[in-house]
């Protein structure tokens, strides 16, 4: 038995002993609920025991991920939870405690008083190996002029592990710069900015866990994490529960709004308009305009006798209620109470419960719901024009107008409608659920109206924003974080912290993607990539009829090697790729259905943000660029989703660096068509008939079109 094997055996004995004490604590938690005096208490204790058990972990979890030894030889083992022995002695410290800080902050330049730092590789609670940094040896090597690697070898090993469709925690591999961001002051608007693979999302989630541990006044249920879409929320969904913070609420940005039927499509200029902050003023004015004026005299038949109220008194009751600092529904109830008092003063008995009074209130101050109000507003040109005032042009008012569905339950809403519904819910019913702390991922893409939805849920103004301006796309692509924070509460200062090192994306893939930055985001500093990948990117330039088949062949080839594969496919190629997958008997997960986790996963470039795969197949970069006003940024996103292998399958340019424009056949000065231009034209023609073509005929139509155009060429 060599020295390393002996050392692992000794460490395993320590792990086994700690695991027994962990099991004892878990057994004790199982008995907690039995001590309750009643059912309500039992339920509370049961939930407490479950949460505590998740925090402690189970038999499939290693008791520790690392160990530090200080200059006096004292050892401290670090894990995701505290473990004590029967005498109360600490066997493993929680990673969030001050005692654990040197593990994350030590470096060859500043060992923070440590002699060594060890990180374990485990299968369950069984130690398979460990890596160790001995700082005296590193210092001696540096003194001798030797080059010492700056990247933690355990980190490189973790990055090489296959993906599964769920984000893992990074406790064992948190780097010093990341740790500084994790433990930054709570009371601020902290922007965590970083390029692809810098770990910004993981850092933000671990920041939540660190804050919860170190600020005991902050409860997990008082924290909200907002993501860009449901697939992303599912992807990150296991990280916080694994750290013992399972009660933190996770929602995609669309789920901040009332629950309504979704899926309406609309023109880009309409979506952009609905995202502007001035829509808040339009909605407030339109809602206020629903409050009516009484007749000169209102006559009500109550309990067999007529009671007449002067219109002036009713108008004064309306004005008094409207001055109250209450939402629409609260002011309406105040008016109803004042009206009942006026009737009582005139001898009416119990007028508040009379239907005649309810009818008068409804006529003068009608009850509203967000969906019904917005449907009626969009369906009425006069009401839109009146609410628009001087803030909107006639053309913009026309964009907002649309006929409503006959029944409210049949109304389908667009993504841009959702923050408007949320704004109305706030105006009508007042503040909803508010949170002590919020984290917002991909914040750089949110519209002002979406940011208002986020901001009104903050009880303190303390937030963490996560994003990358180089990946800011869509109608609200930003070039500055000031454009984002301007729409959020200003109770605390805003500060941008940049993560400079890219750990996930391999150097070969990033070098290809980085060629887009001078066009996509010339002001953005690219991250410093720290690792090499297993292979150079492969570019497959094919004919149009070969494209879908090649995509499937490349993807399934990676899947056969046990890799987690993402096909990043623009909308124009989606149908043919799905048909090719089905024709080849390939099972795949689809991000647009909220799925992620199969061997082969089909995602749009927009859905790919924040996700990662062992191997990525990017389909038709020219179409990705053409699909968005900041299309080069969208392609940059697509090319940086891999942790290992990258393939590009295309008919057109695999790395378009200029805007995609088709030659004008009516312009004799334009350059001649090339074969690639002809294939682009074929795609355009096929796209025109895509919606009408039967699914089983689409591929044949494309192939026939290509054959004719090739003959012409």
């Amino acid at each position: 038995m060599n020295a390393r094997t002996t050392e692992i055996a000794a460490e395993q004995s320590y792990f086994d002993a700690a695991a027994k004490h962990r099991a004892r604590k878990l057994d004790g938690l199982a008995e907690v609920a039995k001590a309750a005096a009643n059912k309500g208490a039992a339920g509370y204790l049961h939930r407490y025991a479950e949460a505590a058990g998740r925090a402690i972990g189970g038999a499939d979890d290693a008791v520790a991920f690392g160990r530090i030894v200080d200059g006096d030889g004292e050892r401290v083992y670090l894990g995701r939870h505290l473990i004590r022995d029967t005498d109360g002695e600490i066997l493993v410290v929680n990673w969030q405690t001050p005692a654990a800080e040197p593990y994350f902050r030590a470096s060859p330049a500043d060992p923070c008083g440590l002699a060594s730092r060890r990180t374990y590789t485990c299968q369950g609670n069984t130690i398979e190996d460990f890596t160790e940094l001995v700082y005296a040896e590193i210092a001696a090597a540096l003194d001798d002029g030797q080059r010492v690697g700056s990247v933690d070898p355990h980190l490189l090993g973790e990055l090489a592990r296959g993906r599964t469709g769920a984000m893992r925690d990074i406790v064992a591999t948190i780097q010093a710069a990341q740790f500084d961001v994790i433990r930054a002051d709570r009371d601020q608007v902290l922007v965590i900015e970083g390029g692809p693979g810098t770990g910004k999302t993981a850092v933000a989630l671990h920041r939540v866990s660190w804050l919860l541990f170190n600020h005991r006044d902050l409860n997990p249920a008082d924290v909200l994490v907002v993501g860009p879409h449901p697939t992303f929320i599912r992807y990150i969904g296991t990280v916080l529960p694994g750290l013992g913070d399972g009660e933190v609420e996770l929602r995609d940005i669309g789920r901040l709004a009332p629950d309504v039927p979704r899926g309406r499509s609309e023109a880009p200029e309409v979506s952009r308009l609905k995202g502007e902050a001035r829509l808040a003023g339009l909605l407030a004015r339109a809602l206020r305009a629903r409050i009516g004026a009484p007749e000169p005299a209102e006559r009500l038949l109550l309990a067999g006798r007529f009671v007449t109220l002067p219109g002036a008194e009713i108008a004064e009751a309306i004005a008094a209620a409207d001055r109250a600092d209450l939402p629409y529904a609260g002011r309406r109830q105040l008016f109803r109470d004042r009206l009942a008092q006026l009737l009582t003063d005139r001898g009416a008995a119990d007028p508040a419960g009379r239907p005649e009074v309810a009818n008068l209130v409804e006529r003068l101050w009608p009850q509203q719901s967000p969906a019904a109000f917005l449907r009626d507003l969009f369906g009425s040109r006069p009401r839109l024009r009146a609410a628009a005032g001087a803030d909107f042009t006639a053309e913009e008012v026309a964009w907002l107008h649309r006929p409503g569905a006959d029944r409210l339950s049949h109304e389908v809403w667009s993504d841009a409608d959702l923050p408007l519904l949320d704004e109305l819910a706030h105006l009508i019913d007042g503040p909803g659920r508010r949170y002590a702390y919020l984290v917002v991922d991909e914040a750089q893409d949110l519209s002002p109206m979406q940011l208002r939805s986020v901001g009104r849920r903050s009880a303190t103004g303390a937030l963490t924003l996560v994003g990358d301006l180089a990946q800011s796309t869509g109608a609200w692509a930003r070039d500055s974080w000031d454009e984002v924070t301007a729409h959020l509460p200003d109770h605390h200062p805003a500060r941008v912290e940049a993560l400079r090192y890219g750990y996930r994306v391999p150097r070969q893939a990033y070098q290809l993607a980085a060629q887009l930055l001078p066009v996509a985001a010339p002001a953005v500093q690219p991250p410093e990539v720290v690792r090499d990948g297993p292979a150079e990117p492969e570019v497959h330039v094919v004919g149009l009829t070969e494209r879908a088949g090649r995509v499937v062949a490349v993807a399934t080839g990676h899947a056969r090697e046990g890799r987690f594969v993402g096909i990043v496919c623009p909308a124009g190629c989606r149908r043919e790729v799905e048909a090719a997958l089905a024709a080849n008997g390939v099972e795949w997960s689809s991000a647009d259905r909220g799925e992620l986790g199969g061997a082969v996963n089909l995602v749009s470039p927009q859905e790919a943000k924040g996700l990662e795969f062992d191997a990525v197949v990017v389909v038709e970069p020219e179409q990705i660029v053409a699909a968005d006003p900041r299309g080069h940024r969208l392609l940059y996103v697509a090319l940086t989703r891999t942790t290992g292998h990258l393939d590009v399958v295309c008919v057109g340019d695999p790395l378009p660096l200029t805007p995609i424009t088709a030659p004008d056949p009516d312009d004799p000065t334009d350059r001649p068509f090339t074969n690639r231009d002809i294939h682009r034209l074929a795609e355009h023609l096929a796209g025109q008939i895509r919606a009408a073509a039967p699914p089983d005929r689409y591929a044949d139509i494309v192939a026939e079109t290509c054959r004719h155009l090739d003959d012409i060429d």
Side-chain angles (χ1 to χ4, degrees):
M1 184 178 292
N2 61 35
R4 190 173 187 84
T5 304
T6 301
E7 179 66 9
I8 289 175
E11 292 281 60
Q12 186 63 54
S13 296
Y14 192 92
F15 273 44
D16 292 342
K20 289 179 181 178
H21 291 290
R22 177 177 64 183
R24 174 181 51 80
K25 186 170 183 178
L26 287 169
D27 291 341
L29 286 170
E31 299 296 317
V32 165
K34 297 178 182 178
N38 54 59
K39 271 189 178 181
Y44 172 81
L45 290 174
H46 180 71
R47 290 191 296 274
Y48 164 79
E50 281 191 335
R54 285 194 299 268
I56 292 172
D60 292 335
D61 301 313
V63 295
F65 60 79
R67 188 195 79 179
I68 52 178
V69 180
D70 66 16
D72 297 327
E74 183 176 348
R75 299 181 177 189
V76 176
Y77 289 82
L78 295 82
R80 291 166 178 80
H81 49 85
L82 174 69
I83 302 176
R84 296 178 184 268
D85 65 15
T86 52
D87 296 324
E89 293 295 321
I90 295 175
L91 301 177
V92 179
V93 302
N94 190 300
W95 70 275
Q96 298 139 317
T97 60
E101 287 187 14
Y103 176 89
F104 302 108
R105 306 188 72 180
S107 67
D110 179 12
C112 296
L114 297 185
S116 65
R117 185 185 78 170
R118 178 175 292 185
T119 306
Y120 303 98
T121 301
C122 299
Q123 183 67 38
N125 195 47
T126 301
I127 302 172
E128 295 182 334
D129 203 355
F130 64 82
T131 60
E132 187 159 39
L133 299 176
V134 180
Y135 291 104
E137 293 178 0
I138 294 174
L142 291 172
D143 289 342
D144 290 343
Q146 298 179 32
R147 184 177 182 275
V148 177
S150 60
V151 183
D152 182 349
H154 183 78
L155 169 62
L156 295 178
E158 282 293 299
L159 292 169
R161 286 174 57 194
R163 267 52 188 170
T164 63
M167 178 179 278
R168 297 189 291 260
D169 73 62
I170 61 165
V171 171
T173 60
I174 293 171
Q175 303 298 292
Q178 295 174 325
F179 187 66
D180 287 342
V181 175
I182 286 170
R183 59 192 294 274
D185 181 52
R186 175 177 66 171
D187 295 327
Q188 61 177 318
V189 177
L190 178 66
V191 179
I192 303 178
E193 181 182 56
T198 52
K200 53 189 178 293
T201 297
V203 167
L205 294 174
H206 287 68
R207 172 166 168 75
V208 168
S209 186
W210 191 91
L211 289 173
L212 287 169
F213 184 87
N214 287 279
H215 295 270
R216 294 310 172 102
D217 61 317
L218 187 62
N219 296 315
D222 292 330
V223 178
L224 173 65
V225 176
V226 180
H229 49 74
T231 301
F232 178 85
I233 293 298
R234 289 187 178 89
Y235 175 64
I236 68 171
T238 61
V239 174
L240 286 169
L243 295 172
D245 302 303
E247 293 179 42
V248 172
E249 188 169 348
L250 308 179
R251 287 203 215 176
D252 66 88
I253 186 69
R255 292 296 165 188
L256 298 185
D259 190 15
V260 293
R262 302 155 192 236
R264 184 187 191 96
S265 59
E266 58 192 6
E269 62 270 18
V270 178
S271 294
R272 166 83 189 190
L273 175 62
K274 289 180 179 178
E276 294 189 21
R278 54 192 171 127
L279 259 294
L282 182 148
L283 295 176
R285 291 189 293 271
L287 186 62
R288 175 62 185 79
R290 294 299 304 209
I291 303 172
E295 298 292 334
E298 297 284 357
R299 196 167 184 232
L300 290 81
L301 179 62
L302 301 175
R305 62 182 287 262
F306 283 102
V307 179
T308 301
L309 288 178
E313 290 189 20
I314 299 175
E316 174 54 34
I318 290 174
D322 202 28
R323 287 192 295 269
D325 186 18
L326 293 170
Y328 179 93
R331 302 197 312 276
R332 180 181 187 271
Q333 182 59 50
L334 189 58
F335 165 63
R336 183 172 184 151
D337 293 342
R338 289 175 183 268
L339 186 63
Q341 185 60 52
L342 290 174
L343 292 166
T344 300
D345 293 344
R346 283 166 170 76
D350 190 26
R354 304 292 301 180
E356 296 84 356
V357 176
N359 291 339
L360 179 59
V361 172
E362 184 63 21
R363 174 161 62 83
L364 296 177
W365 202 312
Q367 190 171 5
Q368 301 290 348
S369 72
F373 177 84
L374 195 59
R375 178 194 62 169
D376 295 344
L377 176 62
F378 283 164
S380 170
R381 285 189 177 92
R383 288 182 57 203
L384 278 171
R385 282 195 294 267
D391 291 346
F392 294 80
T393 67
E395 182 181 36
E396 289 172 333
V397 171
W399 287 347
L400 293 173
H401 176 261
R402 73 185 190 214
D406 293 337
R407 298 178 61 181
L408 183 59
S409 59
H410 294 167
E411 188 76 25
V412 178
W413 303 91
S414 71
D415 288 344
D417 289 330
L418 300 180
L420 307 186
L421 292 168
D422 189 62
E423 184 82 22
L424 284 167
H426 175 72
L427 291 172
I428 294 169
D429 297 316
R433 176 72 191 281
R434 303 180 82 197
Y435 299 83
Y437 202 84
L438 278 80
V439 172
V440 187
D441 212 319
E442 303 296 347
Q444 76 278 355
D445 294 339
L446 299 185
S447 73
M449 290 302 294
Q450 287 174 320
L451 290 166
R452 286 176 64 88
S453 290
V454 168
R456 71 172 58 98
R457 282 165 171 79
S458 173
T460 64
L463 303 95
T464 290
L465 308 180
V466 183
D468 178 13
L469 295 176
Q471 299 181 63
S472 185
T473 61
W476 290 98
R478 298 321 201 299
D479 296 306
S480 164
W481 283 108
D482 291 342
E483 300 171 30
V484 176
T485 57
H487 301 286
L488 293 171
D490 59 359
H491 309 319
H492 301 294
R495 180 165 66 98
V496 179
E497 284 289 341
L499 298 176
R500 298 276 15 111
Y501 296 99
Y503 302 104
R504 172 178 52 80
V505 184
R507 193 183 315 277
Q508 299 95 317
Y510 190 76
Q511 285 175 343
L512 176 66
Q515 296 178 53
L516 293 162
L517 283 180
V519 179
V524 170
Q525 181 71 25
E528 297 180 35
V529 179
V530 304
R531 58 185 284 263
D532 290 319
E536 294 290 332
E538 290 196 35
V539 175
H540 312 257
V541 179
V542 297
L544 187 59
T545 56
E546 304 171 71
R547 182 172 59 198
R550 183 67 64 86
V551 169
V552 173
V554 172
T556 54
H558 286 303
R560 281 194 296 271
E561 296 295 323
R563 297 172 190 136
F564 182 60
V565 183
I567 301 174
V568 184
C569 181
C573 301
R574 177 89 181 206
R575 189 169 175 178
E576 67 185 72
V577 171
E578 288 186 343
L581 288 165
N584 285 275
V586 179
E587 293 186 6
W588 76 95
S589 297
S590 179
D592 68 352
R593 298 192 293 265
E595 302 168 351
L596 196 67
V600 176
N601 302 269
L602 193 56
V603 301
S604 71
Q606 294 82 0
E607 292 163 338
K609 284 189 179 183
L611 305 182
E612 58 184 37
F613 304 90
D614 298 329
V616 168
V617 183
V618 176
V619 184
E620 211 57 71
E622 284 190 345
Q623 286 196 26
I624 294 175
V625 170
D628 190 278
R630 301 293 186 97
H632 289 95
R633 292 183 178 181
L634 199 57
L635 180 57
Y636 178 73
V637 171
L639 294 172
T640 54
R641 297 306 94 201
T642 182
T643 64
H645 299 265
L646 175 64
D647 289 83
V648 178
V649 180
C650 57
V651 173
D653 191 342
L655 196 69
L657 297 177
T658 56
I660 306 303
T661 55
D664 183 358
D666 297 325
D667 183 357
T669 65
D670 210 346
R671 62 177 175 79
F673 268 46
T674 66
N675 189 55
R676 182 170 291 167
D677 295 325
I678 291 173
H679 280 295
R680 290 180 193 160
L681 179 58
E683 283 201 90
H684 174 73
L685 295 173
Q688 298 301 303
I689 60 173
R690 181 176 290 115
D696 58 347
R697 285 282 298 139
Y698 174 68
D700 293 338
I701 291 171
V702 173
E704 187 174 352
T705 305
C706 288
R707 281 195 295 272
H708 284 302
L709 289 172
D710 282 341
D711 289 343
I712 295 171
D713 185 52

